[in-house]
Amino acid sequence: MKPTFMRLTGALLAAAMLLLSACSKPSGTDGGPSTSSGTGQTDTGQSGSGQGGSDTSQGAQPRRGPNGEVYGGVYRMAVGAEPAGIDPHIDTTLFTYRLSRNIFSTLVRYKGETLELEPELLAEMPAISPDGRTYSFRLKEGVKFHNGATLTAHDVKYTFERLLTPATKAANTWVLQDVVGADEMLNGTATELAGLKVTGDYTFEITLKQPFGPFLYYLATAPASIYPAEYAREKGDAFAREPVGTGPFRLKEWRENELLVLERNPDFFEEGYPFLDAIEYRVVADESTRWLEFEAGNLDSNEIPTVEWENATQSGRWKVWETTTLNTYYLSLQLEMVPDPRVREAISLAIDRQKIIDTIHNGTGTPAIGFTSPGIVGALTGAPGFPYDPDRARQLIKEAGAEGMTIVSWQRGGDKVTDSNLAIQQMLAEVGLNYVVEIYDSATFREARANGEIMANQGNWYADYPDPDNYLWTYFHSSSSRGMSVAMNDPEVDRILEEARISTDQAARVKAYQDLERKLLYEQYAIIPLWHLKSYFVSQPNVYGFKLNPVFVYDYKTVWKDVQ
């Protein structure tokens, strides 16, 4: 697909300057808006098949759960763009992960709003051998895929081997990189995963190369979703447009660039769930149009546009949902394309993080002092933070002979440049750098990123699992760094990361991560952390039941709508 792009100069730069000079944080939001408690929690042991609607015509009463939850109804949302496909082996976007959470199931999952793991497709949590390398699993029996096939250990084997098969071109092979035989599959010298042994129809073992404490967290991520072997094998590449899983919802309809509909799975293995009949995702590219549709009552929830923040949070017309998620927003600079650390430091000094948080993000974030998200054990603490000092930035740029240097930053998807990119463009222009933003479709962006072709990217990382390894290995280990637009290739960094990820001494592990992060960020400026944001959205008053987890992948199984 031919990429589309936009270069920002002249009028657009002026617009960015106007944005920063005119915007101000709404009053009364220093501590965040008042939030709905989201009551209507559910009990997975409830009775009922999960069927039945909420039609109250002619006096009919809705079917209700044990805590007053209403069965039935269609939950309506709008998104800026549809996914390239619903295959979390290949696609790493947050929207695909959210869809996957509702279409597929994983062996283990997060419990409610906590970071504690519990079984999902498993009958119980796995047993772990004394040496920490072998995990013994037992699946629930009688779980059905959407096409009627019964889940067995052979589906797990197929799914995990598909992820590691080179022809799949998976972007998420890290999920299984620690399993014995993963390397051989990835380099094409083996077609089966030696470290996965099926021991019965519902039992299997996985053996790791070395002990790795966060391994079970890997199995709770969207890329570890389990697929039906025969169906997925038959569909091949088409599986991404016709996915089948064991989740609470199944794909009903997909009209390209218009509408995506999930419907209740009548054979869902958790009795009584889900409550909703269906979820509709309308594709509406324009943010203002999405908001107007929500305001008119045509959508059940929506993200909050910057210009509507005070209206959304202070009017009392809607429920405001808030959650603290594990995230870091950053500016990556390909080290081979921006090799001088003085230039990278200057870029960091030129960005007024607090001003962008206040004017663009309505004061709902905090400036980053590290890359690993706060809330994760091992995140950097006690660091000084990154000052705003444009004078020092100009001096460094002059010393480096980089006056007028052009930084080409890629932005994925959308139809306009983000406000934060506009703000960064203005701030870098003020210190003598030309920050050019080019917008590319998701497929082009994904391919270029995988090939290490992106010079810069103002992006974000929402934790797949709550461990520094998820941030530091992903972005700085030589095996994956190029594909994250950083291109770190340092044997000493690799050694530290490799030793830390298998260490069983938690205190030593934390120190290793913090020492490494301080060096990478404050000496090398290997990536530029920007801020961490709280997550907000608004819903209509009759929406209940969200369980908002810090990993930020929403599960609509417990969501319901009251009868209006």
Side-chain angles (χ1 to χ4, degrees):
M1 182 180 296
K2 183 179 180 180
T4 58
F5 64 89
M6 181 183 302
R7 293 186 180 270
L8 301 180
T9 54
L12 285 174
L13 186 55
M17 298 174 69
L18 179 63
L19 171 72
L20 285 177
S21 63
C23 293
S24 62
K25 183 170 67 174
S27 61
T29 61
D30 292 336
S34 299
T35 61
S36 164
S37 64
T39 57
Q41 301 302 311
T42 55
D43 177 3
T44 56
Q46 71 183 59
S47 61
S49 65
Q51 303 310 296
S54 58
D55 181 9
T56 58
S57 61
Q58 298 180 352
Q61 292 299 310
R63 179 169 169 257
R64 293 183 178 270
N67 298 307
E69 305 94 339
V70 175
Y71 280 92
V74 177
Y75 198 89
R76 306 156 301 166
M77 290 178 283
V79 294
E82 67 176 20
I86 309 175
D87 183 352
H89 283 185
I90 298 171
D91 197 330
T92 63
T93 60
L94 185 60
F95 184 35
T96 294
Y97 279 19
R98 288 181 172 177
L99 289 169
S100 298
R101 178 67 258 172
N102 292 283
I103 293 174
F104 304 107
S105 308
T106 48
L107 298 175
V108 293
R109 68 184 173 201
Y110 293 102
K111 185 176 183 179
E113 297 171 312
T114 76
L115 293 176
E116 178 185 351
L117 294 178
E118 66 177 5
E120 183 168 28
L121 290 176
L122 296 179
E124 68 266 325
M125 292 299 286
I128 306 174
S129 63
D131 66 0
R133 293 182 57 220
T134 300
Y135 293 69
S136 300
F137 300 86
R138 183 167 67 88
L139 294 169
K140 292 176 179 175
E141 298 185 24
V143 175
K144 298 286 187 181
F145 287 100
H146 299 155
N147 65 346
T150 300
L151 169 73
T152 72
H154 298 283
D155 297 298
V156 178
K157 174 179 168 63
Y158 166 80
T159 301
F160 287 175
E161 291 178 345
R162 177 187 188 270
L163 180 66
L164 295 170
T165 298
T168 302
K169 297 181 180 179
N172 291 305
T173 57
W174 57 265
V175 172
L176 299 172
Q177 66 188 0
D178 299 286
V179 178
V180 170
D183 295 336
E184 290 77 6
M185 285 206 68
L186 288 169
N187 65 29
T189 60
T191 57
E192 291 189 272
L193 183 58
L196 196 161
K197 180 182 178 183
V198 173
T199 56
D201 286 344
Y202 300 98
T203 57
F204 60 98
E205 294 178 350
I206 293 178
T207 300
L208 306 183
K209 305 168 193 172
Q210 302 176 86
F212 179 49
F215 177 64
L216 287 179
Y217 284 115
Y218 279 23
L219 301 185
T221 63
S225 300
I226 305 302
Y227 298 171
E230 291 186 13
Y231 175 85
R233 188 180 292 113
E234 176 187 337
K235 285 294 180 181
D237 293 342
F239 181 82
R241 299 289 296 194
E242 304 173 52
V244 163
T246 57
F249 295 92
R250 62 189 182 188
L251 181 63
K252 177 183 180 182
E253 182 180 6
W254 191 340
R255 300 205 298 263
E256 188 171 359
N257 291 318
E258 181 182 350
L259 180 70
L260 194 153
V261 181
L262 307 183
E263 66 178 352
R264 172 190 284 140
N265 173 13
D267 297 317
F268 186 50
F269 58 90
E270 293 190 58
E271 190 175 14
Y273 291 111
F275 297 109
L276 296 167
D277 284 331
I279 305 172
E280 288 185 356
Y281 299 89
R282 291 169 48 196
V283 179
V284 180
D286 181 67
E287 179 185 61
S288 298
T289 303
R290 294 196 298 271
W291 177 258
L292 289 173
E293 284 292 283
F294 171 75
E295 199 169 27
N298 298 325
L299 301 175
D300 290 302
S301 61
N302 202 64
E303 295 180 353
I304 305 174
T306 299
V307 296
E308 297 292 346
W309 177 262
E310 188 165 4
N311 176 31
T313 61
Q314 305 299 320
S315 68
R317 296 174 60 188
W318 304 290
K319 284 185 177 179
V320 182
W321 299 79
E322 171 190 338
T323 184
T324 299
T325 55
L326 305 178
N327 67 67
T328 300
Y329 286 69
Y330 63 82
L331 179 63
S332 66
L333 298 165
Q334 176 82 272
L335 300 182
E336 295 171 353
M337 300 182 188
V338 190
D340 194 326
R342 292 173 297 182
V343 175
R344 301 195 297 267
E345 182 181 0
I347 290 171
S348 177
L349 290 166
I351 298 173
D352 189 340
R353 293 161 173 79
Q354 190 63 59
K355 188 170 188 178
I356 293 176
I357 291 168
D358 290 342
T359 58
I360 293 175
H361 297 295
N362 299 290
T364 62
T366 56
I369 66 168
F371 186 52
T372 302
S373 174
I376 293 176
V377 175
L380 189 59
T381 57
F386 303 97
Y388 170 59
D389 190 343
D391 291 336
R392 174 62 178 158
R394 293 185 193 96
Q395 179 182 344
L396 287 171
I397 290 168
K398 184 177 181 180
E399 290 176 4
E403 297 100 325
M405 179 179 180
T406 295
I407 305 294
V408 180
S409 181
W410 285 42
Q411 180 180 307
R412 185 204 310 256
D415 60 348
K416 66 176 184 177
V417 175
T418 62
D419 292 341
S420 55
N421 260 331
L422 286 168
I424 291 171
Q425 184 185 53
Q426 175 196 340
M427 291 172 179
L428 295 190
E430 290 173 353
V431 299
L433 295 177
N434 183 25
Y435 184 77
V436 175
V437 180
E438 297 182 354
I439 302 177
Y440 291 84
D441 63 89
S442 293
T444 302
F445 183 97
R446 185 169 60 248
E447 182 179 0
R449 189 174 197 179
N451 293 331
E453 298 170 356
I454 294 178
M455 182 181 192
N457 169 236
Q458 196 265 294
N460 57 71
W461 187 258
Y462 282 74
D464 295 301
Y465 53 96
D467 193 273
D469 177 83
N470 187 220
Y471 287 80
L472 302 185
W473 181 286
T474 303
Y475 280 82
F476 302 116
H477 192 274
S478 60
S479 65
S480 56
S481 184
R482 179 174 295 276
M484 301 309 293
S485 305
V486 175
M488 172 70 67
N489 187 13
D490 186 328
E492 178 63 11
V493 172
D494 284 357
R495 182 191 65 79
I496 294 169
L497 291 172
E498 289 162 6
E499 291 180 358
R501 75 192 326 257
I502 64 172
S503 173
T504 57
D505 183 335
Q506 181 69 352
R509 192 169 183 265
V510 165
K511 184 177 187 306
Y513 281 129
Q514 292 182 336
D515 289 349
L516 177 61
E517 190 163 338
R518 188 182 293 268
K519 178 180 179 181
L520 290 172
L521 303 184
Y522 288 89
E523 296 179 19
Q524 300 182 27
Y525 293 86
I527 201 167
I528 299 175
L530 298 175
W531 46 76
H532 313 286
L533 297 181
K534 283 190 174 183
S535 298
Y536 296 86
F537 68 93
V538 283
S539 76
Q540 301 298 343
N542 66 326
V543 170
Y544 297 86
F546 273 107
K547 293 184 178 181
L548 303 177
N549 192 279
V551 296
F552 205 49
V553 180
Y554 296 163
D555 184 345
Y556 286 86
K557 177 186 69 179
T558 62
V559 175
W560 57 282
K561 295 166 60 175
D562 205 351
V563 178
Q564 292 183 322

